[in-house]
Amino acid sequence: MPRSFLIFFLFLLPLASYAAVPTSFTPIIPALQCPNSAPDWGSVLSVIQTGINDIVLFASVIITIFIAWAGIAFMMSPVNPEARRKARARLFNAVIGLVIVLVAWLLIDSLMKVIYNSGSSFGPWNS
């Protein structure tokens, strides 16, 4: 009886924390703010930025899955040194991949800021 209650509670926990509504992925083509004119350069850059943010989000989810997989493999092989070495290498590669994805996003965001804004301010280019 207590185990089934725990499982039931874990399934209802996201609903209690309002985590059931995904708001991370946004439409790639945003609603245009200029209904009587053609899209301008800012609209094109906004579409590019939205696509890049979605790619970074998708890559982060995949990397998180790889980190969990490497952690499970590391924990499940306490006596096999070869399996632990492989799991450690997977974990290291996943963390390096996460760093590469985030640094690439930072470089692209900085480049978009230089292209779109003439002044330098702190924060994303489209804020």
Side-chain angles (χ1 to χ4, degrees):
M1 180 74 168
R3 177 179 270 176
S4 62
F5 178 73
L6 179 65
I7 292 172
F8 179 72
F9 177 73
L10 290 177
F11 278 119
L12 290 181
L13 188 62
L15 294 175
S17 65
Y18 300 107
V21 180
T23 58
S24 299
F25 288 106
T26 58
I28 293 178
I29 309 284
L32 298 178
Q33 301 298 323
C34 46
N36 296 331
S37 64
D40 59 347
W41 181 242
S43 297
V44 172
L45 289 178
S46 179
V47 169
I48 292 170
Q49 184 69 24
T50 304
I52 289 170
N53 287 343
D54 287 346
I55 289 170
V56 168
L57 180 65
F58 181 71
S60 299
V61 168
I62 296 298
I63 289 171
T64 303
I65 291 170
F66 273 107
I67 288 173
W69 178 38
I72 289 170
F74 192 77
M75 297 297 289
M76 297 305 265
S77 59
V79 294
N80 188 352
E82 182 64 26
R84 288 179 69 90
R85 186 192 60 77
K86 284 183 182 180
R88 189 177 296 126
R90 277 190 209 123
L91 182 63
F92 182 74
N93 290 337
V95 170
I96 293 297
L98 180 64
V99 168
I100 289 172
V101 166
L102 294 178
V103 167
W105 176 83
L106 183 64
L107 289 173
I108 291 173
D109 191 63
S110 299
L111 181 66
M112 296 283 275
K113 186 183 289 188
V114 168
I115 289 173
Y116 190 67
N117 296 334
S118 59
S120 64
S121 62
F122 186 72
W125 70 271
N126 56 355
S127 61

